[in-house]
Amino acid sequence: MSEGRRGLVHLYTGNGKGKTTAAFGLALRVVGRGGRVLIIQFLKGLPTGEVLAVKRIPEIEVKRFGSERFVDPKNPKEEDVLLARSGLEEASRGMSSGKYWLVVLDEINVAVAFNLLPEEEVMESVKSRDPGTEVVLTGRYAPSSFYDLADYVTEFREVKHPFQSGIPAREGIEF
Ligand code: ATP
Ligand code: MG
């Protein structure tokens, strides 16, 4: 159902704020033009404000594959690996189905950096997507292969963040 569209790949990486919220912004734009969106979230257990908001939008489906604890990058638990793998399976099905104009793989770069998912498998599923499906990969620490794969590469660079002056994460703004 891609109606002749050509789906490209976006990479949102770097340590500055705004990657996940930018991806949700793109999802809104697609819905405004009549498309359907699938958002798969890796590592995240608890829903953040934007996830609660898009529950009101039937054209956006969000599926989360993370536990509520933080993943230890040096020693990921078996459960974290299994969750990430299920997320990638769901993502692959969604990307190849032709049902979605946009598929967002939120924090997948971090899942790869923490060795929860093999980089090559992620690349393969993105490449096997329906030709009309646009894909966004978000998260810090993207591997260089993702830079090569993507058509749009945007690095969010932290210049200033209030966390450094002791302001903790704020509801509605950070989560
Ligand atoms: P957002 O979710 O606000 O769009 P993000 O996706 O770019 O930001 P992540 O790298 O996924 O941010 O980080 C997750 C959490 O850390 C978010 O709550 C985010 O607001 C917050 N955050 C982002 N950048 C920084 C930073 N430089 N210092 C501290 N916290 C940050
Ligand atoms: Mg994020």
Side-chain angles (χ1 to χ4, degrees):
M1 293 180 297
S2 63
E3 295 151 23
R5 267 191 316 272
R6 175 165 174 226
L8 300 180
V9 179
H10 305 238
L11 178 62
Y12 297 164
T13 192
N15 60 357
K17 173 176 165 60
K19 300 172 293 290
T20 295
T21 45
F24 275 75
L26 191 60
L28 288 182
R29 180 170 286 172
V30 163
V31 171
R33 297 297 185 183
R36 295 192 63 80
V37 179
L38 174 65
I39 300 176
I40 304 280
Q41 296 196 304
F42 294 88
L43 296 144
K44 289 178 173 168
L46 295 170
T48 43
E50 66 279 15
V51 173
L52 301 172
V54 300
K55 280 189 179 157
R56 301 178 200 167
I57 305 176
E59 294 88 346
I60 302 182
E61 287 167 50
V62 181
K63 295 181 179 171
R64 270 174 293 120
F65 294 85
S67 69
E68 291 180 14
R69 325 166 258 95
F70 278 105
V71 174
D72 177 0
K74 290 189 208 77
N75 187 22
K77 297 206 162 36
E78 180 66 18
E79 185 204 342
D80 299 320
V81 174
L82 293 174
L83 276 166
R85 295 204 69 90
S86 316
L88 183 59
E89 281 166 26
E90 189 81 31
S92 304
R93 276 196 294 276
M95 285 188 288
S96 62
S97 69
K99 189 176 159 196
Y100 303 101
W101 184 331
L102 173 67
V103 175
V104 175
L105 308 181
D106 189 31
E107 312 301 348
I108 194 161
N109 303 335
V110 183
V112 169
F114 287 6
N115 293 312
L116 302 181
L117 292 176
E119 171 181 336
E120 300 74 24
E121 278 185 36
V122 175
M123 301 261 294
E124 275 320 303
S125 19
V126 173
K127 286 184 189 160
S128 316
R129 71 190 182 280
D130 179 272
T133 296
E134 194 91 4
V135 173
V136 180
L137 311 170
T138 92
R140 299 167 186 219
Y141 325 123
S144 60
S145 61
F146 288 9
Y147 280 70
D148 295 335
L149 174 72
D151 301 285
Y152 297 77
V153 177
T154 307
E155 288 182 346
F156 291 64
R157 182 169 65 91
E158 183 198 293
V159 176
K160 242 184 172 186
H161 192 292
F163 191 68
Q164 272 93 50
S165 41
I167 300 176
R170 294 172 305 144
E171 183 176 35
I173 306 299
E174 259 86 40
F175 62 90

